[in-house]
Amino acid sequence: MERVRVGLVGLGKIARDQHLPAIAGNPNFALAAIASRNAARDDVPSFATIEEMLASGVELDAVSLCTPPRGRFEQAHAAIEAGLHVMMEKPPAATVSEAAALADHAKARGVVLFATWHSREAAGVEPARQWLADRRIDAARIIWREDIRRWHPGQDWILEAGGFGVFDPGINALSIATRILPDPLRVERADITVPAGRQGPLAVQLDMRSATVPVSADFDFLQTGPQTWDIEVDTDAGMLTLSMGGSILRLPGQAPVEQPDREYPRLYQRFGELLASGESDVDLRPLQLVADAFLIADRKVGAPFDW
Ligand code: NAP
C-alpha cells in the first residue's frame, strides 16, 4: 500500500505525545504537513490553518485532527469537502448533530471518517468485553478522578463552552462502558458542578442504566494524589475491574493482566484498515450520553477555578 500522506491539525499536547510517534512508527503513514496557528515543524510544510494547508498544493490523502472539539466540525468539513479522509480525536465534535452531519458528509463524498476513541484501544478492553458477554451483569461503577492541573495545564478551552470540562476525560470511560456492556446505556440522572465564571464542569455524577443494570459514574477533575481511572463490573462470576484507563484487567481468581500502552499505534493501524476497506467508523454513543447528561442535569455552581 502507498503511504498515506497525513496533514496533522493542532500541534498540541496529544499531537506531540501520541500522534507524531504513532505516525512515525507506522510504515503505512507519512507526516506530510502541519496546520497549527502557533506551532510548526522544520521537516514538513507548516501552515497556520487547515484552509491554508488545503489550498497550498501539498499532496495529502488524509488529515488527523488533534484540536479541541469546538471548531473541529469546520476543520473536518473542509477536509471532507477537499476529498480527504479524516481521523478525529475524541470527543468527535462539540455536538452530536455536528458529528452526525460529518458522518453524512463523508459518506456523500466517498471518504473515510474515523471518530477515534483511544481508550477503547487499551489492552484490557476487548478481553473485558468478551468475558462479560457470557455473564449476568448486576451493576457497574465508573470512577474517573484526575487532576486537571497535572494533565491539562493552562488548557482554558477545556472549561469553556464546548470544551466538555471533566467530560473530556470522562467520555473516555463512557467510550469503554459503551463498548464492554452488552446493552445500550442511558442516562437517568446527572449532577453537574461548574465552577463560578466557567462553562465546563469540574465534577459530574451520573446514574445510568444498561437494560435494567445500574451503572454509576463519578467524574472528578480536582483529584490530587493518586489518580483513578477504574471501571468495576459486578457479575454472577465475581467482579471484573478495568483500571488505569483500561490497561489493567482483573478477573476473579486470576492474576491482573497488564500490557504496555499501544492505544495510538492501534488507532493508526485501525485507520489504515478503514482506508483499505473504505468504511467509516463513527460511533456517537459516548457523545450522546454526555449530551443527554447536560439535557437532564441538576446543575450547581461551584467554587471558582484557577490554574
Ligand atoms: P492542546 O494541548 O490544547 O492542543 C490542541 C491544539 O489545537 C493547540 O495546541 C492549538 O494549536 C490547536 N487549536 C486549534 N484551535 C484551538 C482552540 N480554539 N483552542 C485551543 N487550541 C486550539 O490540547 P490536547 O490536550 O492536545 O487535546 C486536543 C484533543 O485531544 C482534545 O479533543 C482532547 O480531548 C484530545 N486528547 C487529549 C489527551 C491529552 O492527554 N491531553 C489525550 C487524549 C485525547 P495552535 O494554537 O498552534 O493552533
Side-chain angles (χ1 to χ4, degrees):
M1 145 178 183
E2 293 276 306
R3 280 188 171 216
V4 178
R5 296 162 296 186
V6 179
L8 185 146
V9 184
L11 188 51
K13 185 172 190 313
I14 199 62
R16 293 179 200 275
D17 289 357
Q18 297 288 352
H19 287 259
L20 294 178
I23 292 169
N26 188 320
N28 294 326
F29 289 88
L31 181 69
I34 296 281
S36 208
R37 300 162 308 179
N38 302 295
R41 276 174 67 100
D42 295 336
D43 54 345
V44 291
S46 295
F47 306 91
T49 66
I50 187 170
E51 289 77 15
E52 287 175 30
M53 182 174 78
L54 296 176
S56 69
V58 169
E59 293 198 16
L60 297 175
D61 305 298
V63 299
S64 184
L65 303 181
C66 304
T67 46
R70 194 155 197 191
R72 204 176 291 137
F73 172 82
E74 288 76 11
Q75 295 158 354
H77 190 274
I80 293 168
E81 199 55 33
L84 300 181
H85 307 294
V86 178
M87 172 165 163
M88 303 193 289
E89 256 301 345
K90 45 63 58 172
T95 67
V96 180
S97 49
E98 281 183 353
L102 290 174
D104 288 350
H105 189 200
K107 195 172 179 189
R109 294 284 298 167
V111 300
V112 168
L113 180 64
F114 183 21
T116 65
W117 298 108
H118 66 86
S119 291
R120 285 184 178 172
E121 304 300 333
V125 172
E126 189 54 25
R129 187 188 70 78
Q130 287 175 16
W131 190 84
L132 289 171
D134 299 333
R135 305 275 171 339
R136 188 194 72 225
I137 298 172
D138 297 324
R141 293 167 296 281
I142 299 168
I143 308 108
W144 225 253
R145 302 171 72 90
E146 67 175 55
D147 184 353
I148 185 176
R149 294 183 175 90
R150 181 162 156 198
W151 302 104
H152 304 274
Q155 290 182 357
D156 274 311
W157 62 262
I158 218 164
L159 293 176
E160 291 169 1
F164 286 70
V166 75
F167 278 117
D168 178 85
I171 202 168
N172 297 334
L174 297 175
S175 76
I176 296 176
T178 48
R179 179 82 186 131
I180 64 173
L181 297 174
D183 291 309
L185 267 176
R186 61 188 192 278
V187 184
E188 291 189 334
R189 189 185 66 87
D191 285 338
I192 289 183
T193 307
V194 178
R198 306 263 186 173
Q199 289 79 43
L202 285 177
V204 171
Q205 282 87 40
L206 302 178
D207 287 341
M208 299 178 284
R209 271 187 204 273
S210 167
T212 58
V213 175
V215 179
S216 64
D218 175 6
F219 301 151
D220 192 329
F221 232 162
L222 296 177
Q223 174 80 12
T224 52
Q227 309 282 289
T228 308
W229 299 283
D230 289 353
I231 299 178
E232 301 169 347
V233 186
D234 299 333
T235 78
D236 55 348
M239 187 169 79
L240 170 151
T241 307
L242 272 173
S243 48
M244 294 311 288
S247 61
I248 304 174
L249 174 62
R250 288 184 178 81
L251 296 174
Q254 300 182 25
V257 178
E258 180 171 9
Q259 290 178 40
D261 174 14
R262 299 268 310 148
E263 292 179 14
Y264 280 79
R266 286 169 66 149
L267 283 182
Y268 276 90
Q269 183 187 330
R270 172 97 180 110
F271 191 35
E273 290 163 6
L274 292 171
L275 294 175
S277 68
E279 284 169 43
S280 288
D281 180 351
V282 185
D283 178 4
L284 301 184
R285 289 176 294 164
L287 184 63
Q288 183 73 64
L289 289 171
V290 173
D292 287 355
F294 277 115
L295 277 173
I296 63 166
D298 182 350
R299 289 159 198 268
K300 292 182 188 63
V301 177
F305 172 82
D306 217 334
W307 300 101

